Structures are given as structure tokens and as C-alpha cells.
Amino acid sequence: MKKFYAMLAMAVVPLMASAQFGVVAPLHVNGNQLNDQNGNKVVLHGVMDTPSPYFNHNRWGYTCTDNNVSACINYYDKVFGALQNPAKGTYCNIFRLHLEPGWTNDPSKQSTGSETGEANISRFSAARLQKYLDMLYWPIAQKAVNHGMYVVMRPPGVCPKELQVGDYYQEYLKTVWNIVSSNSTIKQNAGIVSLELANEPVHIKNQWGYDSETAMRDYFQPIIDIIRRNGFTGIIWVPGTGYQSQYQNYAKYPVNDSNYGYAVHVYPEWYGASDKSYNHQNFITNFKNQVPVVTSKPILVSEIDWSPEKPGTGKYNEFGQWVASNYGTWGTASTSKWGNAWKAVMDYYGNISMTLTSIDDYLDVDAFLNNGTIKAAFDENVECCAKACFYWYYEYSQKDYARNTTNQNNNNNNNQNNNTTTTTTSGDKLIPSWGDGSNFIPEGWTTVDNGSEMQAGSASRGPRVMRFADGGEMTSAFYAREISPDRAGYIEYGGKSGHNLSLVYGEYLLQCNIAAWKGSPYVKCEVFDPEGGVLASRIVKASCNVNGNNSSKIQGSAVLAMSFYSMIKGNYRVRFTPVADENGNGGNWVEALIGNVSLQYRGNPLAFKKANEVPAGWKLVDADQVKPTGDAGSGPRVFVFNGGGEIPTGLYIRQSDASKAGYAEFGSTDGYGMTLKAGQYSLSYNAVAWAGTPYVKCEVFDQSNNCLGSQIIRCSKSVDKNLNASTYGSAYGVVNFYAPRTGNYRFRWTPCADQWGGSGTWVEVVFGHIKISKGSANANARERMIDLDEQTTAIEEVSAAAKEDDSWYNLNGQKVNAPTRGLYIHKGKKVYVK
């Protein structure tokens, strides 16, 4: 399994994709790729769904009637917010919308004909399609766009098994797409919305009723012609036969159009691949044999899912074949076998977008609706498609995405005007995009030039946002300068009323691109915490000098990637200052360009959550080998204890060989940094023995590898290798240390054989409930106490409290009359007095 969080360089590196993931900009077909308006390659990943009471498990109602329209739209609006929420690990940027026939069928009509289910169109009403296109389908699509997802629409229902050129179903599809492609709002959003002509044709004959290599083309070409005559210029997805698995005839007789791709379906047992036959190269070859157009046109796999076999009664699939039951998907297979083989196909061709067959195939919808939890469906089983796609979609979000191309001089990325295409950004964009307009100072930014602040709005000279005609890595960039070393010049976000940068506890990643307007400038980036102190700082030399010409193409710009750790809830500020050298000295006429500014929340890596993984941001060493982050079925990893206790989730570490290193460390992984300001700190944790009675050593290191504090404690509580055990009675450790300067620090935990830190073989420890605390500078030192058991978060601010006249005990259970500095038991809780 690919690791969930890629390591991100914290120095000057090539342009990285994460800065703009979630942008929705018009797409078109270019050869076998999707491109945005700037020519960037785009590959999309998401889900499909149908607004049906049945398929939505009656979450918004029980009937497709007018009184449920608002509830249905609101349901999707809410769920879309969970499908693309990078801060919580979701990265969908395409939604396939089924124009559900429950809305387009006229209930007053009598059902006729031999076809059953959704293949029976005898009750279809063109008037109802027109009505609900405006009233329901487009509003749902608009919500998806507003949440950073492209939309592909498929017609109501599924194809009958036997089709013939000129038949009634072809006329039905002409009617459907004539109505949809004539809609002014749909046409205005061409490039954002695409059309998939039919769902799962099985067999198509020519107009005389015979098999023919031209039948597929002749069936769909007249429909395409209608769509284009109506003025819809967006992408059309053309289906094949064999339930959308056979495309050989298109290689010889393609449709006539300039902006189309092919919509394909993929399920286990198709293309000669299954859990019994999952050779990667064979899957790649078989896919090309059946879909040879993959080399000439972009592919959208508009239906795919899988989960492993599960004891049960089984079911009949769409072919009428009996298959063993699984976890709730159409396809039965496991990620480690069939799933990884399919990923090899996508990675090999590089132009295959995909949508899982249902939102419920990706997201645990009920958990989200009930309590706001965003997690993969099927109980996060790593062998199911949901958890696999949580990993895959993150990986793909780092490349092949659309860039911002709308011309807006504001930060409103949530325009609800149904007739306006807007650029939307994903939920991790804590610093809003300023768009790609030109000659203005965006709202929310403090802009200082020559010692004076400039006002937001139009600006034809001086610091301002500029648009670069030839695009490149920055379609628009903020020109900032320092005219004189004794007069301030910088840009800053987070200091304006109404444009706060409110952060919570945890890890953040700040990124931007930096180029030179003229000369060889540097740029100093600083993060100010709510107390006004500099929490993180970095100086980067600009690259790509445009020589004062905004007609230039920015290529080869420097990238600043800086992580920092928020320990205080409140408003932060991010500042960019042009400087003359790597030491941050001021200069005369130092001019730089800053663009693609992105601030991402990456969660709290000190709070372990998911079982059987090496958590992101951690360095786990086992017998001298560093374990990759991501899912782990053995070795050091996160354990979840069903019996609860002080460590409901903990990190299992070990020394399996006394002659080789084994430890866990946080703060040394690129993209994750334990940033601390100068001051006094306490690092606390709990630990148990996985087996035996080992010890554990906790150490704190600065950037120069100096040990600032350490402690060895005995893990007298053992869970005896039982995950059902309770961790109550765990050992408690705390390391007090002083950080001499603002910077990055490292925390390390090492299993030991004895109280002196000696090595051993199979010394196994589980630790967790980590907290890092900083004292208040204004509080009386003896009266600053940290309730180390009270809060469930892994980070807390030290509170000042007066000592009460209740009894105090040391850790040996002896009563203490006047507690001094140290760790005590007070009112049944561990309390540290400083």
C-alpha cells in the first residue's frame, strides 16, 4: 500500500502540486489527456451517486417528490463537504451524477414493454426531466462544483441489453441529451460539467439488425451531433458495449468529434483479472486489448468498486451469476491482490480518471452525518476500495490537477449564482486564493511598501497581484518589494479583521512559489503565533528571473515548504518579506514574486488514531531499518486497546536485536516539524509493556542534536500481548526541558532493558497519550499546574490555577504538605507543579 502522506521537502525543491488541488477550471481533451486552459495535465478521482431514496438509504426522504427536493440537495451539499476535505484525508475532485429516473418518470403513466427495472423507459417524461434539471440536478451539480469537484452527468436509467441503430432507446437518448445540452446553465459550465452518453450498453446491432464494427459509432454519433448543434462545447464521454468493457471497434471506427473521451467500467473478474489472477502486466495488456482507445483518448472509469469475500449468503451480479457475498460492493476482490493490479493499470497509462460506484464505496456516510467523523467506509478495512482510495486519491492529488484560471479579484470561492462558473478550492486552503486577476491588492492582505501600508483594491503600480500572460507555474503572483533596508516592505495574511487565520492544535504545512521580478532576491517567510512571536521562519532564494516583464512565463521558480506545529489556538499571521541575502538582511530595491500560497492542516500526529499503521510524521526504526509510513500488518505500528485505559491508542516499538537500533522519533520527518519558541516545556506520555517489564527512555533533541532532557521509566504494567487488555495503571513519564531558541526539536522514545538504558533483545513497549505543554510567562512558577489527565487532545496550553487545600501525594503514595516542583497525585489525578 502506498503511504498516505508523501514526504514533503522543507527546502527549495521543484514545483509541487499540492498548492492548488481542488481548483475547478474548464477542461478539454488534448490527445489522450485532459488539459486545463493552461495546458496542465488533469486526471480526476472521485465517486458517483444517484439521488434516490433507495440508494441514499432514505437519509433525506422516502419519495422523489417536490417536498423532498430541498432535503435532497442539502444532503448532497453536506456530504460533498466530506468528499473533498484534505484536512481530514479526502481528495475527491469529480462526481458522477445519475439523473435518477425516480424523478423523471411520470407516476401517472402505466409501465409497458418487456424491459424491467431502470431499463424500462415507458414512464419517462421529458417535461419532468426539464423541470428537475433546473430544480434538482443542476443545484446538486453546483454544490459539487462549489466543493471542488467536476461533474459528469449520465442519463436516467440503464440500457436494455439489445440495442439497434435507430431504435426507440436511441431516440430516448436523443431526447434526454437534447434537453440537457440545450440548458443555458449547463452550456455556460461546459468544461466543468461533462456528459456520459449512456450507461452499460451490452450489445448494439446496426440499422438492419446485424452485428457490425460500425454499430457503436452509428448509435452514438447522432446523439453527439445533437449535443454539439445545441452549443454544448464540453467533454462527451462515449460508452462501449459489454457493460462498457469492449471498445475495439472504436479503434477502427471512432466517433467524429474533437472533445471526447471514453467512459469505461471496471470490476473484478473483468479483463482477466481477479484475486486469483492479478498479475500486473497481464491486467495492463488485457485492458489495452479490450480498450485499445486508452492510447488515443482519455478514459473515465465511471464505475468501479471492490471488497473482499465475506461469509454470507451471496448474491447475483449484473450478469445473473451467483457470487459470494462481500462487504457491500458490486465487485468481490481485495486491494492487496486485484486492487493493486488495477492501480498498476492506471499508473501505467496515466490518463485514466475514475469514480467509485457509490459515495458509500468511499465514505462512511452515516458516521459523518451522525457525528462529523470523516473516515473510509467498510470500517476502514484496508482490503476494501474505500480505504485504498483514501490512500490513492491523496497520492494522485499531488500531481495532474487543474490550476486556477478564473479572472476574479476576490476571495469568494463559494458563489451560489447558478449561472456563474466559479473556481473552488478545497477545505485545506486556509489562506484563500486571490484569483488570477491583475493589478489589485487582494482583500485580507496587509501590504506594506516603503514603510507605509497600502489599501486593498485596484493598484497599477507598486506591490500588487500581477497576471502573467504566458502562465507557467504562477498564473498570477504577488509582487512585493523592499525599497530601502530601513523602510519596511512585505505582504502578510491573517492580520485583517474578517480575514483571520484561526488555527487549532496540530501540524500545518505552508507552501508557496518564489520568483525574482528583478535581480537575485531572497524571501523570508515567517509564521507569527497568537502571542505575536515568530513560531517558524525560513529564507529562500528566488529563482526564475522574469526581468520585470509580466509577459514572461514563470518556469523553474523556487518552492518554499515549511511545516510548523500550533500549540496555541488563535489567530496566526503569515508574512513574506523580500530580503537581500540568506541572512535576512535588508537591501535596496529587492523585488520578488510570491504565488500559489497554500496553508494545509495536517492533523495532530501526536494523537494516534488508526490501528495498524505507521503514522505520518513519525520515524519508526526497527532493527536499524526505517519503516515506511502507512498501513503495517506487523512490526512497530499503532495499537488500539479495546479495554481502554490511559492509552486507548498507542505506538508499539521494540528492540528486536540488542545490537541494532529500535526507537520512535517525531520531528525529524520532512514536512512535519515540532516547532517551539524559546522557553520552558514539559513533554509527558504514558507507557505499558507489551510483554515483560521493560523500560523506556524519552529524550528531547535540538537542531544540533544536543540532548536537552531525558528520562527512563519502568513499564511495570504489562498487557501480555493482548489488545483486549486495559492499559489502566500504565507508567507515566515527563521530561522537562528548556528550548534555547525558536526552531525545530525532536522527541525520541527507545525501549530499554534496564534503568540505565541498556539494550536488549525483544524489549517491547507501547506508549501514547503524548502532551507537550508550555508554561505561562506571567504566572507564579509554583502555581502553574498542568492537569495531565484532563484533556483528550494531545496538545494543551498550560493553565494557571491556585493550589487547593486538598491533600497532595507523591508518586509513592506518601502525603506531602507543601508540594514543590515535581509530579504529584492531587484529587485522583496526576498534576505537575512547576
Side-chain angles (χ1 to χ4, degrees):
M1 180 72 69
K2 296 285 186 182
K3 61 186 179 182
F4 187 33
Y5 291 106
M7 292 185 179
L8 298 171
M10 296 173 62
V12 180
V13 295
L15 179 67
M16 299 177 69
S18 59
Q20 288 186 332
F21 174 80
V23 165
V24 179
L27 302 180
H28 64 276
V29 172
N30 181 17
N32 72 343
Q33 302 289 343
L34 298 178
N35 283 175
D36 67 11
Q37 291 178 333
N38 286 334
N40 299 299
K41 174 184 174 182
V42 178
V43 184
L44 302 168
H45 305 89
V47 298
M48 74 151 281
D49 212 52
T50 181
S52 153
Y54 174 79
F55 287 109
N56 299 155
H57 305 285
N58 304 117
R59 294 179 182 122
W60 48 263
Y62 293 85
T63 58
C64 295
T65 52
D66 288 1
N67 60 325
N68 278 327
V69 166
S70 294
C72 182
I73 295 170
N74 291 336
Y75 164 78
Y76 278 101
D77 187 26
K78 185 172 184 179
V79 174
F80 288 155
L83 292 179
Q84 188 186 121
N85 190 330
K88 298 295 182 65
T90 54
Y91 291 85
C92 292
N93 61 355
I94 182 173
F95 176 67
R96 183 192 188 220
L97 173 61
H98 179 197
L99 307 182
E100 160 62 33
W103 301 92
T104 61
N105 284 346
D106 186 343
S108 66
K109 285 186 177 181
Q110 181 70 33
S111 178
T112 61
S114 59
E115 297 295 341
T116 60
E118 290 186 355
N120 189 315
I121 60 171
S122 61
R123 298 168 65 198
F124 169 74
S125 166
R128 288 175 68 90
L129 174 59
Q130 289 177 319
K131 171 184 176 179
Y132 288 111
L133 183 61
D134 291 326
M135 189 174 178
L136 176 76
Y137 298 135
W138 171 248
I140 292 175
Q142 179 70 67
K143 298 294 187 183
V145 173
N146 288 343
H147 285 284
M149 290 184 286
Y150 290 85
V151 175
V152 53
M153 292 182 173
R154 64 166 262 204
V158 299
C159 292
K161 289 186 177 180
E162 294 296 330
L163 299 176
Q164 183 174 330
V165 175
D167 67 4
Y168 75 97
Y169 201 81
Q170 187 184 37
E171 293 303 312
Y172 161 73
L173 292 176
K174 288 180 182 180
T175 300
V176 168
W177 293 123
N178 182 47
I179 292 170
V180 174
S181 63
S182 297
N183 185 282
S184 60
T185 304
I186 300 296
K187 289 194 290 184
Q188 289 168 3
N189 286 274
I192 303 297
V193 174
S194 58
L195 310 178
E196 183 179 350
L197 297 183
N199 187 71
E200 295 200 335
V202 182
H203 187 208
I204 302 177
K205 295 181 179 180
N206 65 14
Q207 61 267 43
W208 298 288
Y210 299 114
D211 291 335
S212 169
E213 291 181 322
T214 65
M216 287 196 296
R217 180 201 64 188
D218 295 343
Y219 199 88
F220 291 111
Q221 186 66 55
I223 302 169
I224 295 172
D225 293 342
I226 290 172
I227 292 171
R228 296 307 187 205
R229 283 199 300 269
N230 286 336
F232 178 81
T233 59
I235 297 167
I236 294 173
W237 298 102
V238 182
T241 53
Y243 297 92
Q244 291 182 238
S245 69
Q246 302 291 338
Y247 294 77
Q248 296 92 331
N249 291 340
Y250 282 129
K252 295 178 64 176
Y253 299 100
V255 298
N256 180 25
D257 193 68
S258 60
N259 197 26
Y260 75 96
Y262 291 97
V264 178
H265 288 182
V266 175
Y267 285 104
E269 307 290 343
W270 296 19
Y271 308 98
S274 67
D275 263 9
K276 296 179 180 178
S277 177
Y278 50 90
N279 179 275
H280 292 193
Q281 186 56 53
N282 288 346
F283 203 166
I284 291 169
T285 300
N286 291 342
F287 187 82
K288 184 178 179 181
N289 288 341
Q290 291 184 221
V291 191
V293 291
V294 67
T295 62
S296 60
K297 289 293 178 182
I299 301 298
L300 169 64
V301 173
S302 57
E303 284 190 24
I304 181 172
D305 68 14
W306 69 92
S307 60
E309 186 174 323
K310 176 182 178 183
T313 58
K315 66 177 182 181
Y316 288 98
N317 66 13
E318 62 267 43
F319 302 109
Q321 301 165 329
W322 181 261
V323 294
S325 63
N326 54 38
Y327 286 79
T329 55
W330 281 105
T332 301
S334 56
T335 297
S336 59
K337 296 177 181 178
W338 182 88
N340 285 340
W342 165 244
K343 188 174 186 297
V345 176
M346 291 193 293
D347 291 344
Y348 179 83
Y349 291 109
N351 66 335
I352 301 176
S353 300
M354 66 174 276
T355 57
L356 291 171
T357 306
S358 168
I359 291 176
D360 290 286
D361 284 337
Y362 180 73
L363 177 73
D364 188 331
V365 177
D366 291 320
F368 173 68
L369 295 177
N370 291 337
N371 55 37
T373 299
I374 295 179
K375 65 177 184 177
F378 313 118
D379 293 325
E380 300 199 306
N381 186 326
V382 295
E383 293 291 358
C384 297
C385 57
K387 191 60 177 177
C389 288
F390 263 56
Y391 286 90
W392 296 357
Y393 289 5
Y394 167 76
E395 178 185 337
Y396 290 133
S397 76
Q398 304 300 295
K399 59 181 181 179
D400 301 342
Y401 59 91
R403 269 66 166 179
N404 189 338
T405 58
T406 58
N407 187 15
Q408 294 182 345
N409 294 353
N410 59 62
N411 293 319
N412 181 10
N413 290 320
N414 206 24
N415 193 325
Q416 298 297 318
N417 185 341
N418 287 349
N419 295 319
T420 303
T421 298
T422 63
T423 296
T424 28
T425 55
S426 56
D428 67 337
K429 303 302 180 291
L430 301 174
I431 299 177
S433 167
W434 54 61
D436 64 350
S438 187
N439 294 328
F440 71 101
I441 296 175
E443 293 287 342
W445 284 83
T446 299
T447 306
V448 175
D449 183 43
N450 202 23
S452 299
E453 182 177 350
M454 304 176 66
Q455 298 302 309
S458 297
S460 59
R461 58 190 303 173
R464 64 196 187 278
V465 172
M466 296 180 176
R467 179 177 174 85
F468 287 82
D470 284 346
E473 295 165 354
M474 289 188 277
T475 303
S476 66
F478 211 135
Y479 163 65
R481 68 190 186 189
E482 188 177 65
I483 293 178
S484 170
D486 58 355
R487 292 187 178 92
Y490 60 85
I491 61 173
E492 178 182 282
Y493 187 84
K496 292 289 187 181
S497 177
H499 298 273
N500 292 335
L501 193 57
S502 298
L503 306 185
V504 296
Y505 305 135
E507 189 77 29
Y508 291 83
L509 179 67
L510 176 67
Q511 291 179 279
C512 68
N513 289 77
I514 297 171
W517 176 246
K518 291 180 180 179
S520 301
Y522 291 73
V523 171
K524 178 169 66 174
C525 176
E526 299 168 286
V527 177
F528 296 86
D529 69 11
E531 296 176 344
V534 176
L535 177 61
S537 177
R538 175 150 299 144
I539 299 174
V540 170
K541 184 176 183 179
S543 57
C544 179
N545 189 335
V546 301
N547 293 313
N549 182 5
N550 63 2
S551 296
S552 302
K553 183 174 184 178
I554 299 178
Q555 199 71 38
S557 59
V559 172
L560 175 125
M562 180 172 69
S563 62
F564 63 91
Y565 207 100
S566 166
M567 290 183 58
I568 309 172
K569 289 183 179 180
N571 190 53
Y572 286 67
R573 293 177 291 126
V574 175
R575 179 180 295 182
F576 302 93
T577 304
V579 293
D581 56 37
E582 61 185 2
N583 296 316
N585 293 313
N588 295 307
W589 287 97
V590 184
E591 301 170 277
L593 300 169
I594 299 113
N596 297 333
V597 179
S598 169
L599 180 62
Q600 302 175 11
Y601 177 59
R602 312 190 71 198
N604 191 346
L606 296 186
F608 308 127
K609 296 179 180 180
K610 178 179 172 292
N612 297 319
E613 75 167 1
V614 175
W618 282 83
K619 178 182 179 182
L620 264 61
V621 176
D622 183 27
D624 285 340
Q625 300 297 311
V626 177
K627 291 194 58 117
T629 57
D631 286 346
S634 62
R637 62 197 190 277
V638 174
F639 283 167
V640 174
F641 290 97
N642 297 324
E646 294 97 350
I647 318 175
T649 57
L651 194 57
Y652 164 66
I653 56 175
R654 68 192 186 190
Q655 277 195 344
S656 56
D657 185 330
S659 65
K660 297 180 180 179
Y663 61 85
E665 184 174 272
F666 182 80
S668 58
T669 301
D670 285 346
Y672 292 83
M674 177 48 64
T675 47
L676 303 176
K677 297 190 300 182
Q680 185 72 39
Y681 293 87
S682 293
L683 172 65
S684 66
Y685 64 98
N686 292 74
V688 295
W690 180 240
T693 55
Y695 292 75
V696 62
K697 177 168 61 175
C698 179
E699 301 168 283
V700 178
F701 299 93
D702 66 11
Q703 291 172 295
S704 300
N705 208 35
N706 299 311
C707 184
L708 305 180
S710 67
Q711 179 198 50
I712 299 174
I713 61 172
R714 184 185 182 191
C715 301
S716 55
K717 166 73 176 184
S718 176
V719 295
D720 295 322
K721 299 184 177 182
N722 180 10
L723 291 178
N724 290 318
S726 167
T727 59
Y728 283 111
S730 61
Y732 178 80
V734 60
V735 176
N736 300 307
F737 66 96
Y738 181 80
R741 64 185 64 85
T742 298
N744 290 325
Y745 293 81
R746 293 182 291 120
F747 304 152
R748 179 183 292 184
W749 286 264
T750 305
C752 306
D754 54 44
Q755 60 186 315
W756 298 282
S759 299
T761 298
W762 291 107
V763 182
E764 301 170 280
V765 169
V766 181
F767 72 96
H769 198 211
I770 304 166
K771 297 182 181 181
I772 173 69
S773 307
K774 184 178 186 299
S776 170
N778 297 321
N780 182 286
R782 288 191 58 183
E783 293 182 347
R784 290 202 302 271
M785 295 178 287
I786 310 166
D787 185 347
L788 296 163
D789 292 330
E790 182 68 23
Q791 299 187 26
T792 58
T793 58
I795 289 290
E796 59 184 310
E797 176 73 311
V798 179
S799 60
K803 288 185 294 185
E804 299 177 38
D805 293 328
D806 298 327
S807 297
W808 292 72
Y809 299 88
N810 62 25
L811 295 187
N812 294 322
Q814 299 166 327
K815 189 173 182 179
V816 178
N817 292 326
T820 58
R821 178 172 176 171
L823 190 63
Y824 298 86
I825 304 296
H826 178 56
K827 299 178 71 174
K829 296 178 179 179
K830 289 189 280 288
V831 175
Y832 180 66
V833 178
K834 299 183 72 174

